[in-house]
Amino acid sequence: MNASPIGDLSICLLALNADLVLEQKGIEWQLPLRDFFSGYKQLRLETGELEKRIEFIEPADHVRFNFEKVAHREYLDIASVNTACGLELQGQRVKQVTIAAGGVAAIPLLLRKTASVLVN
């Protein structure tokens, strides 16, 4: 697990509305990934809690998903910024949108207000 605000996989999983399945002493529970990041390189993970798996619903055929990354470092593949966007289409209309961005804040962000502007 990584609390980097520019982690590529974190951004993709945020846009897919992923949940973490955490476990402690044999008890499992789910936590939305969007609630997992608490600050710069900090996670909401207590001592003794383990991440068991990450779950998300596979996008349907009418959902379009895209990931973009900007990396200006010549010798490292570390993003300066990255985004992921899922568009659920209903005919020619946008029914639902999820957008996640990294490198724009201390934590990976799910851009709910921005996404809501694109619906319909």
Side-chain angles (χ1 to χ4, degrees):
M1 292 191 300
N2 187 328
S4 171
I6 54 173
D8 295 342
L9 192 54
S10 298
I11 300 308
C12 288
L13 291 170
L14 272 174
L16 290 168
N17 290 312
D19 290 323
L20 298 172
V21 176
L22 302 173
E23 185 265 336
Q24 186 175 34
K25 297 181 181 177
I27 300 171
E28 292 186 358
W29 65 95
Q30 285 188 305
L31 177 69
L33 182 61
R34 66 183 170 272
D35 297 334
F36 191 53
F37 303 98
S38 60
Y40 181 70
K41 295 198 174 191
Q42 296 176 345
L43 302 172
R44 288 193 169 98
L45 191 67
E46 301 296 326
T47 301
E49 291 180 341
L50 301 172
E51 179 187 347
K52 296 292 283 188
R53 62 188 173 275
I54 299 171
E55 296 179 346
F56 60 91
I57 297 171
E58 181 179 350
D61 290 341
H62 61 281
V63 174
R64 302 294 177 254
F65 191 85
N66 189 63
F67 173 77
E68 297 288 332
K69 173 179 181 170
V70 175
H72 291 293
R73 296 168 180 93
E74 188 173 340
Y75 297 105
L76 293 173
D77 189 29
I78 298 173
S80 298
V81 294
N82 51 22
T83 59
C85 179
L87 294 173
E88 182 179 348
L89 303 175
Q90 189 172 43
Q92 296 295 317
R93 296 186 78 93
V94 176
K95 182 178 177 185
Q96 185 176 340
V97 180
T98 54
I99 304 172
V104 298
I107 62 172
L109 294 179
L110 188 61
L111 305 177
R112 293 183 188 116
K113 289 181 182 179
T114 304
S116 69
V117 172
L118 301 173
V119 174
N120 292 316

